[in-house]
Amino acid sequence: MKKLVLDLDVGIDDTLAVAYALASPEVELVGITTTYGNVTTEQSTANALAVCALLGAPDVPVYPGLPCASFAEDFTVQPVSAFIHGKNGVGEVDVPASDRAPQGQGAVDFIVEAVHRWGKDLIYVPTGPLTNLDAAIAQDPSIVDEVGAVVLMGGALTVPGNVAPWSEANISQDPDAADRVFRSGIPATMIGLDVTLQTLLTYRETALWRETGTEAGKRLADITDYYIKAYETTAPHLHGCGLHDPLACAVAVDPSLVECLPINMMVDVEGPTRGRTIGNPELLNDPNKTMEVAVRVDVPRFLDEFMGRITRLVSSCQ
Ligand code: BDR
Ligand code: CA
């Protein structure tokens, strides 16, 4: 069975990615590494522990990640992130804190160890900035050839960004790290805004989770409704919230949900377009493509899997 490691800035859609992973019998969620972005790394770690407990998986190990971007000395949550995800990252919903401590081992050491341990069976799914993965590659470059796959949520190739016309939120947090990861040769699939903004959720679906009557169902519905409400302000034309992070998780479980363009990618790190994800012109004619960028998604099939799996999961919880 494939082993999954999620790297999260928890985060409402990060929470939905955890739910999707736990609801997928095809994979085993062997660990969560945490990062900054929607919240601080510290808050993300606390949220990961709490969300796992809420969703009936109180034993998933959580490894604290790096606190800020590779070029920075600290990190402050942007007001827009608090607006979209709530100050606590889970839509201001009171998710009971877990009494479990995070692992003593840090995220970067764990990533290196996990790749050596599970090799091609390991799928690593970052749904925040790529700072932890970049540091792990710097620590042990051999993981590039050993890992099974990286399926990352971030970037935008054929559509504008969401924090700037050229830049998506996760990549813009640490463009330097993302550029190094993209150029490293690690086999990576980019699940960007090109596809994640086609997969939308509305109050109609979250009502089904609430109707299960379980604490998990009610709380997950409340958390997600906060996110849907924020989208009414930030992207009213969509009529729903973008299922960014759970789509990346779903593609890790079943790659046939998307169609991809094989391409060697890079990230602009200089000038006004810093943070743009784009093809690397120097490798345009290289027949060996190390990355794939998702450009089409089977929306009905993904939404069907998403709702079926997560509704079953919350029904079986307390
Ligand atoms: C990404 O940014 C974060 O706010 C979300 O959790 C998602 O990972 C979307 O651009
Ligand atoms: Ca995220």
Side-chain angles (χ1 to χ4, degrees):
M1 185 190 288
K2 293 279 182 198
K3 313 291 179 190
L4 207 70
V5 173
L6 296 175
D7 184 72
L8 312 169
D9 57 329
V10 190
I12 296 178
D13 57 330
D14 303 80
T15 298
L16 296 173
V18 175
Y20 199 100
L22 293 175
S24 297
E26 303 91 334
V27 294
E28 182 188 356
L29 181 60
V30 292
I32 293 175
T33 54
T34 60
T35 186
Y36 62 92
N38 297 324
V39 290
T40 62
T41 298
E42 199 181 353
Q43 180 77 55
S44 177
T45 302
N47 288 353
L49 290 163
V51 161
C52 283
L54 176 73
L55 297 175
D59 298 325
V60 177
V62 176
Y63 301 84
L66 297 170
C68 63
S70 55
F71 62 90
E73 288 186 349
D74 53 23
F75 167 74
T76 311
V77 178
Q78 294 298 306
V80 67
S81 302
F83 178 78
I84 294 172
H85 297 271
K87 280 207 182 81
N88 69 352
V90 285
E92 304 303 346
V93 173
D94 181 23
V95 180
S98 162
D99 51 15
R100 190 163 59 104
Q103 302 300 115
Q105 185 181 33
V108 176
D109 288 346
F110 172 67
I111 294 166
V112 170
E113 188 183 291
V115 174
H116 289 321
R117 178 165 175 198
W118 287 297
K120 295 292 173 204
D121 283 336
L122 184 77
I123 310 174
Y124 181 72
V125 183
T127 69
L130 292 172
T131 313
N132 289 331
L133 180 57
D134 171 50
I137 293 171
Q139 182 169 307
D140 186 346
S142 72
I143 66 171
V144 163
D145 297 321
E146 278 184 37
V147 72
V150 172
V151 183
L152 68 101
M153 192 284 132
L157 184 63
T158 62
V159 295
N162 56 1
V163 293
W166 53 87
S167 169
E168 181 277 334
N170 289 339
I171 301 296
S172 77
Q173 293 283 4
D174 194 344
D176 308 273
D179 186 48
R180 286 187 292 264
V181 169
F182 282 16
R183 290 172 189 263
S184 70
I186 204 163
T189 301
M190 182 177 118
I191 305 298
L193 301 178
D194 313 84
V195 283
T196 64
L197 286 177
Q198 297 183 45
T199 55
L200 303 164
L201 202 71
T202 71
Y203 299 121
R204 246 193 336 271
E205 286 84 36
T206 57
L208 300 175
W209 297 340
R210 197 172 283 108
E211 279 169 20
T212 64
T214 65
E215 273 311 305
K218 284 189 272 190
R219 288 213 164 93
L220 197 64
D222 290 348
I223 292 169
T224 309
D225 283 357
Y226 187 98
Y227 189 56
I228 297 171
K229 181 109 187 87
Y231 265 73
E232 288 172 1
T233 304
T234 59
H237 60 285
L238 291 176
H239 306 291
C241 68
L243 294 173
H244 308 285
D245 298 350
L247 181 60
C249 186
V251 172
V253 172
D254 178 1
S256 75
L257 285 168
V258 290
E259 283 176 34
C260 293
L261 177 69
I263 180 170
N264 292 313
M265 294 288 288
M266 57 172 260
V267 180
D268 285 351
V269 293
E270 305 285 351
T273 59
R274 180 170 160 81
R276 178 175 67 151
T277 49
I278 190 84
N280 181 350
E282 287 169 15
L283 296 180
L284 190 60
N285 295 318
D286 191 329
N288 179 36
K289 315 290 184 202
T290 62
M291 283 188 65
E292 307 237 13
V293 175
V295 288
R296 294 184 72 182
V297 53
D298 188 337
V299 177
R301 190 155 70 86
F302 166 67
L303 289 179
D304 203 46
E305 293 291 341
F306 175 87
M307 281 310 293
R309 286 170 191 245
I310 295 184
T311 309
R312 274 193 298 279
L313 175 77
V314 295
S315 303
S316 70
C317 292
Q318 294 190 329

